[in-house]
Amino acid sequence: MTDQIENSAATDEVAAELSRPADPAPWELLGEEPGFQRFLTVRLRRYRMPDGREVEWDVLGPEGGMATGITVLPLTPEGRIVTIRMFRAGPDSVVTNLPGGLVEADEDVAVAGARELEEETGYTCETLDVVGWQWSGASSTYRKYVAIARGCRPDGKQQLDEAEDCVPVELSVDAFRAELRTPGAMTGVDAAYLALDHAGLL
């Protein structure tokens, strides 16, 4: 009887997926012009909507040539999560982050993840697996990869950039999840949840 119930539920779910409304038609890109450019760039795009109206949209990205980044969920052999505490200009406060940063031109994403992990925390890892990616935001051209690093130990060398002040902090999974649920306590929450899901820690 249980198998029949489960099969029925699965059939209902498939039917619901098949009956969902079709996606809207994509907009036609008519042109793009530069706007503000420093570490972040803003470009003005002009689109034609399916109904013929034309609209302008600001899109954000990192500085020229840097199109991707990486966020790393570092797990110690004891199952703790290595985070960093650092000041962030957007929130204008010290918050919890997962280590990560920009992927250099022609750099392998996994290599960039291991590099950023060590530079920001002083931890190295035994393995690092890239598990997915996401757009940084709905108006962003920036692709953010997500990785899980295992066997992380503080046996490397922290090498911070001029504008970084990262302090590594190990948290239990429960404490990390509490940070995620606390409004304003963390940035990069979306990447953190994706990494936890792939690690089986939600």
Side-chain angles (χ1 to χ4, degrees), residues 18 23 54 57 96 98 108 119 122 124 147 197:
L18 293 175
D23 284 345
E54 293 185 8
W57 207 268
T96 299
L98 288 176
D108 179 81
E119 287 178 358
T124 63
D197 186 24

Side-chain angles (χ1 to χ4, degrees), residues 165-182:
D165 59 353
C166 307
V167 176
V169 178
E170 289 189 16
L171 296 176
S172 68
V173 173
D174 286 344
F176 183 74
R177 292 174 64 184
E179 285 281 291
L180 285 170
R181 291 191 296 267
T182 302

Side-chain angles (χ1 to χ4, degrees), residues 117-138:
L117 170 64
E118 182 174 1
E119 287 178 358
E120 293 191 342
T121 68
Y123 283 66
T124 63
C125 61
E126 294 175 0
T127 63
L128 186 142
D129 298 307
V130 178
V131 296
W133 67 271
Q134 57 192 198
W135 296 116
S136 180

